[in-house]
Amino acid sequence: MRKRLGMITPSSNSVLEPVTSAMLTGVEGVTSHFSRFRVTEIALDAAALNQFDASVMLPAADLLADAKVDAIAWNGTSASWLGVHRDRSLCEAITGRTGVPATTSTLACIEAVRALGARRVGLVSPYTDDVQRRIADVWAEEGIAPHAERHLGLRDNFSFGEVAPATIIGMIRAVAAEGADAVVVLCTNLDGAALAASLEQELDIAVLDSVAVTLWRTLDLAGGDIGALADWGRIFQPSALVK
């Protein structure tokens, strides 16, 4: 049966749509569909935080529901600094008004870390110092205190999508060298999905890209075949998951 996956997308994100579509190339019967709302910067001031109010996100979910999607994801990591309860409430609201199961990138990343049984998580992001510190606090509240981290100090959301693969690789290798047994690339506008499988082989750790992991969880919610994406990394390989 055909599976339609709905993705709520930050307006200035230039990575998650082409990456999600590329990952689904050759996967029979699964399509991805996108609905945008305005996000231009990541910071802790009121204007930046207000971008993620549910009142502007829920209409995007409504539009996806018009396409009769089988699952909806907020394909962004804002709850990692706003608080994970924000995403849990958002998912409840989406399902309550559309009848469609929902997830988010932050929830998916946390679930992926737990599914792999990782204990020492490295956190890689493009964010500013204060945002990165807030993320560490929020994840610690979920029982996943970052073991190591690297970040780029960027604020403009569009600029995240311009970060070179070599820079992302360098950050992943750096946190791996500090003893991480899994690395989360925490930003759906940081182009890490295509790097994950090769770095997993090189470093012998799990590499969890936010776009890839959001697709993993959304496809699972929709009742699709996760194993069809096994070439994209450990999270898609059932044998790698904790039973």
Side-chain angles (χ1 to χ4, degrees), residues 39 41-53 81-82 155:
V39 176
E41 61 180 352
I42 302 302
L44 299 183
D45 59 79
L49 296 177
N50 288 340
Q51 294 173 116
F52 302 104
D53 191 86
W81 57 89
L82 290 171
R155 175 175 176 138

Side-chain angles (χ1 to χ4, degrees), residues 56-182:
V56 298
M57 301 172 76
L58 290 171
D62 293 339
L63 295 176
L64 290 169
D66 289 346
K68 301 189 184 303
V69 294
D70 297 287
I72 293 174
W74 155 223
N75 210 323
T77 56
S78 56
S80 287
W81 57 89
L82 290 171
V84 177
H85 66 282
R86 290 281 292 265
D87 272 5
R88 294 190 176 112
S89 295
L90 177 65
C91 290
E92 290 175 2
I94 290 172
T95 302
R97 64 197 278 156
T98 67
V100 179
T103 189
T104 74
S105 297
T106 293
L107 294 176
C109 285
I110 290 171
E111 289 165 6
V113 167
R114 292 171 176 163
L116 291 168
R119 294 290 179 265
R120 301 182 305 279
V121 175
L123 188 64
V124 166
S125 91
Y127 304 130
T128 56
D129 295 347
D130 55 348
V131 172
Q132 190 81 344
R133 287 193 298 270
R134 180 74 66 85
I135 291 170
D137 291 341
V138 169
W139 277 59
E141 290 173 359
E142 294 296 311
I144 308 173
H147 175 79
E149 67 86 21
R150 292 292 188 279
H151 62 284
L152 296 174
L154 302 176
R155 175 175 176 138
D156 173 60
N157 194 62
F158 178 79
S159 71
F160 305 163
E162 300 294 290
V163 175
T167 300
I168 302 170
I169 290 169
M171 291 194 292
I172 292 171
R173 286 175 174 160
V175 294
E178 293 185 21
D181 60 5

